Amino acid sequence: MSEYILEIKHVSKYFHGLVAINDLSMKVKKGQIYGIIGPNGAGKTTLFNCITGIYTPEEGQILWKGKEIKGTTPFKIAELGILRTFQTIRLFAEMSVAENIMSGRHIKSKQKWYNGIIHTPAYYKDEKENWEKVGELMDFFNLSEYATIPAGDLSYGIQRRIEMARALAAEPELLILDEPAAGLNENETLELTQTILKIQAMGVTIMMIEHDMEMVMSLTEYITVINFGARISAGLPAFVQDDPVVVEAYIGSDEEDEHE
Amino acid sequence: MMTKTSMIALVLLIFMGFFPMFVDSAWLAVGTTFLVFSVVAFSQDIILGRAGVFHMGHALFFGLGAYTTAILNVQFGWPILATWAPSVLIPMVCAFLLAGPIIHLKGDYLLVATIGFNIIFIQILENDVFGLTGGPNGIFGIDIVRLFGIQFASQTYMYYMAFILLGITLFIMRNLDKSKFGRAMFYINKDEIAAQSMGISIRYYKLYAFILGAGIAGAAGSMFSVQYSAVSPEAFNVTQSIMFFTIVLVGGSASLPGVLIGTFIMFVLPEVFREFATARYLVFGLAMILTMILRPRGIWPVKFGNIPSFLKKDVK
Ligand SMILES: Nc1ncnc2c1ncn2[C@@H]1O[C@H](COP(=O)(O)OP(=O)(O)O)[C@@H](O)[C@H]1O
Ligand SMILES: [Mg+2]
């Protein structure tokens, strides 16, 4: 097996004939923090949706530990150890923080089909272990004081933490973060940076889309820049930052924004 | 220590337990019907309130249970006790076969499909397709439960059998809610994309809800057929399905007290106001509309956050 845990090879994805991802390739090493940047609408979220099975790309291959996973349903992708957060937060809003995080324990829970009707000693053991894990994650993300509060009632920054805790509860091998710092204030962003480093230290590979350049530059080991669905640059953060093509793409998109 | 809700539940339990000693036989029958319909409403609530599947054909599974007992007993001479297992299992198998091909449909499409199943079911019963259902008149002369020479014939027996059935149903609902399976249904209900991304198979858990709900409805159907010693198609038509659907939404989806309140309003209050004849249904129509406007989550909405107490220690 190669040193790359995830390989994306010549992937293309179209919406109604329009190309959203165009012949994109990248390789993620185990244990890495891998950054994906690019202007709005570049296709970054679409790429994550292709990896996690929400969309099936028309062309190319997605290899997870050398095995093709293109077209696998989202729940099976999660079972493989690929977990994600969403750019537009997707929590179970009416349910409590603890119950939200418990959803991450779903694939780890060993309850049998009949435990939905009748409880057994094995059920009680399993249930207790999973709630304890939820407790550990609430401690890790400073969420314990909100345990019983409906997730939808909490602030944006806290909701982002709940989403990460939920994904981490599944003990992922690859954690995919879609703009985790969006909507966070400066303190919260600093805290998030520390948290992501701690998650990496646990041995989790991380892929992240992020617009906060300071954060991307300080965290990531390798970056791919996407524009109009295609790779326009890739390399170490310091290289990408000064690549004229990248600078051009961002200036171009800024001008477009002004016209809107 | 007891919470307010469990206090109310205990008082209610004691009241329901002694109810037959204070009322005449007419009211006892109303009480039994309330218990049986509560069981059906809870089974609907597994599918609609928990898994969030807009299923409007639940009277089909209720009817399948009732007709299974009626046919096996009257046409084939099985004792009632022996019909209990098939009256649960046949609706479960049918739920798997019927829901399988439509479970991926979105809310409104699935709703229409389930109504379609219910209509076909009634057609089969009325046209006596297999020569077993007795056509529009149904089947009469269903036996009573007999065990060790005891005949459970009186309305009081009927009441307590329904009471036990409701107890078993509540026990299952509680276990479901405290398991991976009940939680998965809630996650799917609240956000399918997020649920899938956490590794939850939408299809598996929606089918689980359907099959479990159908089995419980079938048990209630069997009880219902013995209570009235007869079954006929109109007791299981789409109007009945709409009633079960409405009970859940008016009472409060996934809320145990809510569903009991919903059943009380829909099936017991009409009996209380019997002298107002059909005008009483006007009031219920209005009540349904007002509840949806004023309390869209139901009269007694579900409350989440039932987590082990050791996780609550830091909550302010
Ligand atoms: N489900 C969809 N249907 C049609 N077009 C889509 C869909 N999802 C994304 N797109 C289009 O694909 C392009 C890339 O979007 P997206 O991946 O969200 O960009 P980014 O995350 O880089 O901002 C956009 O033009 C967007 O409108
Ligand atoms: Mg995006």
Side-chain angles (χ1 to χ4, degrees):
Chain A
M1 206 180 77
S2 76
E3 59 182 320
Y4 300 104
I5 193 166
L6 182 76
E7 292 170 83
I8 291 159
K9 293 185 171 172
H10 304 290
V11 163
S12 295
K13 169 76 200 157
Y14 303 87
F15 290 115
H16 317 293
L18 294 173
V19 65
I21 295 185
N22 189 357
D23 194 27
L24 197 61
S25 298
M26 65 184 71
K27 294 171 172 182
V28 181
K29 272 188 202 166
K30 193 167 164 54
Q32 221 170 25
I33 302 182
Y34 195 104
I36 291 168
I37 62 171
N40 277 325
K44 306 180 297 293
T45 299
T46 304
L47 172 68
F48 279 4
N49 283 335
C50 287
I51 298 172
T52 53
I54 309 270
Y55 300 144
T56 305
E58 280 80 12
E59 287 158 34
Q61 285 183 298
I62 300 173
L63 302 180
W64 171 248
K65 298 176 178 173
K67 283 213 186 75
E68 175 75 277
I69 56 166
K70 190 178 79 173
T72 308
T73 55
F75 85 87
K76 284 191 180 142
I77 296 279
E79 284 175 349
L80 291 174
I82 303 176
L83 272 290
R84 68 173 299 176
T85 65
F86 295 88
Q87 181 178 349
T88 50
I89 298 173
R90 279 183 174 270
L91 288 168
F92 310 112
E94 296 100 326
M95 300 177 81
S96 69
V97 172
E99 286 164 309
N100 268 274
I101 300 172
M102 189 64 163
S103 69
R105 295 306 295 165
H106 183 85
I107 56 176
K108 294 289 164 188
S109 166
K110 294 185 198 71
Q111 292 175 29
K112 297 286 190 304
W113 66 268
Y114 48 80
N115 289 143
I117 300 160
I118 196 146
H119 295 166
T120 56
Y123 155 88
Y124 286 107
K125 184 166 169 282
D126 176 80
E127 190 78 354
K128 185 163 168 284
E129 282 170 4
N130 287 312
W131 281 118
E132 278 169 2
K133 189 79 190 173
V134 169
E136 285 169 26
L137 281 153
M138 288 198 298
D139 287 341
F140 182 78
F141 284 94
N142 282 323
L143 291 167
S144 304
E145 59 183 298
Y146 312 114
T148 54
I149 315 244
D153 292 357
L154 293 161
S155 77
Y156 206 75
I158 297 172
Q159 291 196 24
R160 286 240 177 256
R161 267 157 41 206
I162 302 168
E163 245 205 352
M164 280 181 79
R166 181 178 71 175
L168 212 56
E171 299 174 32
E173 283 186 69
L174 174 65
L175 180 63
I176 294 184
L177 305 171
D178 196 346
E179 303 199 18
L184 300 193
N185 64 35
E186 214 169 309
N187 273 336
E188 287 172 328
T189 307
L190 279 175
E191 226 174 88
L192 174 66
T193 307
Q194 292 311 309
T195 306
I196 290 176
L197 286 172
K198 278 189 217 161
I199 296 172
Q200 183 192 28
M202 295 171 189
V204 180
T205 310
I206 296 166
M207 267 180 111
M208 60 187 284
I209 295 172
E210 190 43 67
H211 285 303
D212 186 319
M213 278 306 155
E214 208 178 315
M215 183 173 163
V216 174
M217 293 303 152
S218 67
L219 274 179
T220 57
E221 267 171 51
Y222 200 89
I223 295 175
T224 287
V225 190
I226 306 178
N227 200 12
F228 298 113
R231 181 174 70 190
I232 56 166
S233 178
L236 303 177
F239 168 78
V240 164
Q241 196 169 23
D242 298 328
D243 188 346
V245 188
V246 176
V247 177
E248 173 81 6
Y250 271 90
I251 292 169
S253 79
D254 279 352
E255 272 173 5
E256 266 170 37
D257 284 348
E258 276 161 32
H259 287 298
E260 277 169 4
Chain B
M1 205 187 75
M2 273 182 97
T3 63
K4 210 173 101 198
T5 315
S6 46
M7 287 278 271
I8 296 173
L10 188 70
V11 171
L12 197 69
L13 185 79
I14 293 169
F15 173 77
M16 294 299 290
F18 288 102
F19 178 78
M21 294 166 193
F22 308 115
V23 294
D24 61 17
S25 67
W27 276 106
L28 193 55
V30 172
T32 308
T33 308
F34 168 73
L35 295 174
V36 172
F37 282 168
S38 300
V39 172
V40 186
F42 279 124
S43 67
Q44 166 93 56
D45 191 33
I46 294 175
I47 303 167
L48 173 63
R50 285 178 182 67
V53 178
F54 279 18
H55 161 48
M56 211 186 256
H58 204 50
L60 187 164
F61 299 120
F62 182 43
L64 268 176
Y67 268 89
T68 301
T69 289
I71 291 169
L72 290 177
N73 174 249
V74 176
Q75 320 279 32
F76 295 97
W78 291 31
I80 296 297
L81 269 180
T83 71
W84 279 359
S87 72
V88 171
L89 291 175
I90 289 175
M92 289 174 97
V93 172
C94 287
F96 176 71
L97 296 176
L98 297 180
I102 61 161
I103 202 77
H104 63 284
L105 296 177
K106 291 281 160 266
D108 38 1
Y109 301 107
L110 186 129
L111 186 133
V112 171
T114 53
I115 293 175
F117 283 139
N118 203 152
I119 290 173
I120 293 170
F121 175 65
I122 296 299
Q123 287 303 305
I124 292 173
L125 295 182
E126 285 186 342
N127 291 300
D128 204 358
V129 172
F130 305 108
L132 291 171
T133 64
N137 296 326
I139 299 169
F140 299 89
I142 298 164
D143 199 8
I144 49 170
V145 176
R146 300 166 194 274
L147 184 64
F148 309 127
I150 309 168
Q151 303 186 4
F152 296 84
S154 74
Q155 277 298 322
T156 309
Y157 277 128
M158 300 294 173
Y159 180 92
Y160 282 112
M161 280 192 286
F163 190 69
I164 291 168
L165 181 62
L166 178 61
I168 295 170
T169 304
L170 285 170
F171 172 77
I172 292 173
M173 304 293 284
R174 226 185 83 91
N175 286 351
L176 180 66
D177 286 347
K178 283 180 171 290
S179 77
K180 162 182 177 172
F181 298 86
R183 283 191 298 266
M185 289 172 199
F186 281 123
Y187 300 139
I188 290 169
N189 187 343
K190 301 300 168 201
D191 190 329
E192 287 200 1
I193 300 254
Q196 289 183 76
S197 299
M198 301 319 295
I200 297 167
S201 162
I202 310 261
R203 186 180 171 78
Y204 180 91
Y205 290 94
K206 281 187 175 174
L207 277 177
Y208 190 104
F210 243 102
I211 292 168
L212 181 57
I216 295 172
S222 177
M223 180 66 229
F224 183 82
S225 73
V226 173
Q227 187 201 348
Y228 289 100
S229 75
V231 291
S232 59
E234 74 273 2
F236 312 109
N237 61 19
V238 175
T239 311
Q240 288 298 309
S241 290
I242 294 173
M243 286 296 255
F244 295 130
F245 193 97
T246 310
I247 285 173
V248 170
L249 291 195
V250 168
S253 290
S255 155
L256 300 184
V259 171
L260 283 177
I261 292 168
T263 312
F264 184 82
I265 292 174
M266 290 296 174
F267 286 112
V268 181
L269 282 192
E271 296 301 323
V272 178
F273 295 108
R274 195 165 267 286
E275 64 242 53
F276 298 101
T278 47
R280 67 189 194 265
Y281 288 110
L282 192 70
V283 180
F284 295 114
L286 282 171
M288 281 153 71
I289 296 165
L290 284 178
T291 312
M292 287 300 98
I293 294 171
L294 301 173
R295 290 187 76 83
R297 296 183 59 222
I299 293 170
W300 186 313
V302 61
K303 216 174 156 321
F304 290 105
N306 270 325
I307 60 171
S309 49
F310 73 89
L311 293 174
K312 296 183 186 168
K313 61 184 192 313
D314 296 323
V315 178
K316 281 162 196 136

